[in-house]
Amino acid sequence: MKNFHPLESKCRSEQVAEQIMQMIESGQLREGDKLPSEPDFAKQLGISRGVLREGLAQLKAQGVISRKPKDGTYILPVKTGESGIMETTLRTIKASSYRSIMEMRSAIEQKAADLVIQRATDEEIEELRDIVLRNKQIEGQDDLDYYFHYRLVELSENTIFMGIVDSYFGEIREIRDTNLNRSRHQSQVMREHLDIVDAICRRDAPAAMQAVERHMKRIWDRWLQSNEEKLEESKA
């Protein structure tokens, strides 16, 4: 049995990915090894299952693990020389304005919503709703926000989308943590997420894409409002 150790409180989802990568590099985890079940793994690490899923989602986007429904999570062969696209994307994102990132995000997630309607099962779509409704019940609001958006693109079955979302969400989180009062907008964000899910459940692609576009616009508007308020405070 592999010995995983409890994580510190800061950026736990990133620590999940880091610990697994370190164990792969040291040889403690090898190709084909199966990770513990979600309940056992979360307990070993001392985190919620939502935080665990976010960390595993990052590794899946990077091609480090595979997740098989009703089976488990497995370590994939180590890839070499195939990370150039994601590395270039991440460098570009880090050098981009928040507006540019949000415009890219809106385009990707609108198309992802359309593909989810075409490819996902009713049960998978209902899982999206469960993620939103758990926001008030599970610690790690920010982690669940990430997991909702990552799960949306994951259900599109487009691996490029998955990798890009994983790349830009770190930048979005940093900007948001610096500029926004998340608790003030939590109920608004939940409602916007539910609007997206409701349209997907109806298999209404135009409505789903419009709901995503509206959500991204409101995120941008809240960011602008927050910065205007800070500017006014600095003048007072």
Side-chain angles (χ1 to χ4, degrees), residues 10-153:
K10 187 177 181 180
C11 299
R12 289 187 170 190
S13 61
E14 294 180 8
Q15 291 181 59
V16 172
E18 289 172 1
Q19 185 174 157
I20 292 174
M21 288 301 300
Q22 289 170 1
M23 294 180 74
I24 292 172
E25 291 167 1
S26 67
Q28 296 178 68
L29 288 172
R30 300 178 183 276
E31 175 186 343
D33 283 352
K34 183 178 182 180
L35 296 179
S37 66
E38 275 193 8
D40 290 343
F41 204 176
K43 185 176 181 180
Q44 288 184 50
L45 297 175
I47 57 176
S48 70
R49 291 175 68 178
V51 174
L52 172 64
R53 286 169 180 165
E54 180 185 348
L56 295 178
Q58 294 177 32
L59 293 176
K60 182 175 180 180
Q62 296 166 18
V64 175
I65 61 173
S66 66
R67 306 192 70 189
K68 303 176 182 179
K70 299 181 181 180
D71 184 4
T73 303
Y74 293 85
I75 304 297
L76 291 174
V78 176
K79 297 180 180 180
T80 59
E82 298 183 10
S83 60
I85 293 176
M86 286 304 112
E87 289 177 357
T88 301
T89 300
L90 184 56
R91 285 196 299 271
T92 302
I93 289 169
K94 285 183 176 294
S96 299
S97 68
Y98 188 49
R99 182 176 66 181
S100 295
I101 293 172
M102 290 305 301
E103 288 171 350
M104 176 188 69
R105 184 183 182 191
S106 180
I108 287 176
E109 295 195 32
Q110 284 185 64
K111 183 57 182 177
D114 182 29
L115 293 174
V116 170
I117 289 172
Q118 298 176 41
R119 298 170 178 173
T121 65
D122 291 342
E123 291 76 13
E124 288 172 330
I125 294 171
E126 280 302 318
E127 183 189 347
L128 280 175
R129 188 186 304 279
D130 291 340
I131 293 169
V132 178
L133 296 177
R134 285 204 306 269
N135 271 351
K136 289 187 176 180
Q137 303 170 18
I138 299 179
E139 62 177 303
Q141 163 74 20
D142 191 46
D143 296 323
L144 285 171
D145 181 52
Y146 167 91
Y147 189 56
F148 170 79
H149 287 281
Y150 184 86
R151 185 59 176 154
L152 178 70
V153 297

Side-chain angles (χ1 to χ4, degrees), residues 159-175:
T159 56
I160 299 296
F161 286 178
M162 291 160 59
I164 292 175
V165 168
D166 183 60
S167 297
Y168 66 54
F169 217 92
E171 297 302 304
I172 289 171
R173 178 187 288 124
E174 182 177 344
I175 294 169

Side-chain angles (χ1 to χ4, degrees), residues 169-204:
F169 217 92
E171 297 302 304
I172 289 171
R173 178 187 288 124
E174 182 177 344
I175 294 169
R176 184 176 54 199
D177 287 352
T178 302
N179 293 282
L180 292 179
N181 182 341
R182 291 199 308 276
S183 61
R184 189 174 75 182
H185 301 297
Q186 180 175 340
S187 61
Q188 292 174 283
V189 171
M190 178 180 288
R191 182 65 258 170
E192 290 160 21
H193 285 175
L194 286 174
D195 287 344
I196 295 169
V197 175
D198 287 344
I200 293 175
C201 282
R202 299 194 305 270
R203 306 284 177 174
D204 186 339

